[in-house]
Amino acid sequence: MTVEKSESPKGIRTLQRAIDILNCFHREEPELTLTEISNKIELAKSTTTRLLATLELNHFVEKNPVTSKYRLGRQLYFIGHVAGQSIELRSVAEETMKRLRNQTKETVNLYVLDGEHRTCIQQYESTQSVKHMVSIGQKLPVTVGAGGKVLLAYQSKDFKEQVMGEQPIKTTKTDLKNELKTIVEERYAESIDEREAGTSAASSPIFDIDGNMVAALSVSGPSSRFKPHELPDLKTSLVAAAMEISNYLGYPFSKTAEN
């Protein structure tokens, strides 16, 4: 059964009206007056004004000081930019991740930095009955676990110092800093029984067209299957897969050869 807007709880109705305002703007109509917006969403000017004020306060809309017309604000650009990157990255990484999962038979995850934490944005489960998994969207620390440390390794000194003082560390700060340097040099990290007892992971960075680290590609599973003599082969496969995704994102092939 379809629920009319008038039947919705007040908070939901207000949110829907705000969304309706944002949907008023199109490529053909990038700027609109208060009256035009009010007419489009069929709402009183007084109510429309209050909604626009809240949206403007949060930078979802901006008011042109010369024409007094409204346009979409910079916050939507920032959100759209992040969403666009994630969507593009997931799409580009899909086939490589599936192939890596089939090759290793372990769970393959794609992590991105989310504030001071890391978030899994894509996952292909292990083909084995006993497997290691994380939830899509779950926030995890960057100071422990292979994927987290890969993301941390490429951040600024101030960022590293801050999160090291707030998030769990399994070693000393000095040892972790040295490990992060090695991760940058080798483009590879591994963690055995580090974030969770009985689980292990390996990870490699993904770069964009500008050479910026944008994500971490990880393979994880039960520690019993991460045997020391097999880790060199895992490293080779994982680093190659991460570089393949990087090349798809426009990362220069020449840099691959130089490092």
Side-chain angles (χ1 to χ4, degrees):
M1 181 179 69
T2 302
V3 179
E4 297 295 331
K5 292 180 185 178
S6 59
E7 297 175 7
S8 303
K10 184 177 179 181
I12 296 176
R13 187 167 65 248
T14 300
L15 176 60
Q16 183 59 57
R17 286 171 171 173
I19 293 172
D20 290 342
I21 288 177
L22 298 177
N23 285 332
C24 285
F25 298 91
H26 298 282
R27 186 183 298 272
E28 294 75 19
E29 295 180 294
E31 289 193 345
L32 296 167
T33 65
L34 169 62
T35 300
E36 289 171 333
I37 296 171
S38 177
N39 290 338
K40 279 177 174 287
I41 62 175
E42 299 179 350
L43 204 61
K45 284 187 180 180
S46 56
T47 304
T48 304
T49 299
R50 289 196 296 270
L51 290 169
L52 283 168
T54 300
L55 291 170
E56 186 176 9
L57 181 65
N58 290 278
H59 307 295
F60 282 94
V61 299
E62 297 173 352
K63 190 174 184 178
N64 188 319
V66 177
T67 64
S68 294
K69 290 186 175 182
Y70 292 90
R71 61 193 174 207
L72 295 178
R74 62 182 182 275
Q75 187 61 26
L76 285 174
Y77 170 80
F78 297 144
I79 292 174
H81 182 65
V82 172
Q85 281 189 320
S86 295
I87 291 170
E88 179 186 18
L89 180 57
R90 289 196 297 266
S91 176
V92 166
E94 181 178 358
E95 291 305 317
T96 304
M97 290 181 69
K98 286 180 180 177
R99 188 168 64 251
L100 184 62
R101 186 272 312 276
N102 294 338
Q103 181 181 359
T104 62
K105 296 181 174 58
E106 301 293 355
T107 298
V108 177
N109 295 310
L110 190 63
Y111 291 103
V112 296
L113 197 65
D114 185 359
E116 295 181 357
H117 293 77
R118 59 174 160 136
T119 297
C120 179
I121 62 170
Q122 183 147 287
Q123 179 182 86
Y124 292 96
E125 297 180 23
S126 166
T127 57
Q128 305 185 70
S129 56
V130 179
K131 65 190 75 175
H132 175 252
M133 294 175 59
V134 298
S135 301
I136 299 293
Q138 178 184 0
K139 287 191 175 184
L140 298 170
V142 292
T143 50
V144 292
K149 289 187 291 186
V150 162
L151 294 173
L152 182 60
Y154 292 86
Q155 304 309 312
S156 68
K157 180 179 178 181
D158 289 343
F159 183 92
K160 293 174 185 174
E161 290 290 345
Q162 182 173 337
V163 297
M164 284 183 192
E166 298 173 351
Q167 297 182 18
I169 297 177
K170 296 295 184 179
T171 60
T172 65
K173 282 188 177 181
T174 299
D175 287 342
L176 178 55
K177 289 177 182 178
N178 289 334
E179 183 180 1
L180 295 179
K181 290 180 182 178
T182 302
I183 290 171
V184 173
E185 292 170 359
E186 299 185 1
R187 296 185 177 179
Y188 175 78
E190 61 186 43
S191 56
I192 309 298
D193 296 314
E194 188 173 278
R195 193 176 69 83
E196 296 178 32
T199 63
S200 297
S203 184
S204 185
I206 294 172
F207 303 92
D208 66 11
I209 192 171
D210 297 314
N212 300 314
M213 188 281 304
V214 293
L217 181 67
S218 296
V219 174
S220 62
S223 297
S224 60
R225 297 204 294 259
F226 277 63
K227 303 183 185 303
H229 68 278
E230 295 178 349
L231 287 176
D233 287 340
L234 174 60
K235 176 180 179 181
T236 299
S237 299
L238 179 57
V239 171
M243 191 51 57
E244 180 176 86
I245 297 172
S246 298
N247 292 152
Y248 287 152
L249 290 173
Y251 185 70
F253 282 90
S254 58
K255 290 188 177 182
T256 306
E258 290 170 5
N259 292 281

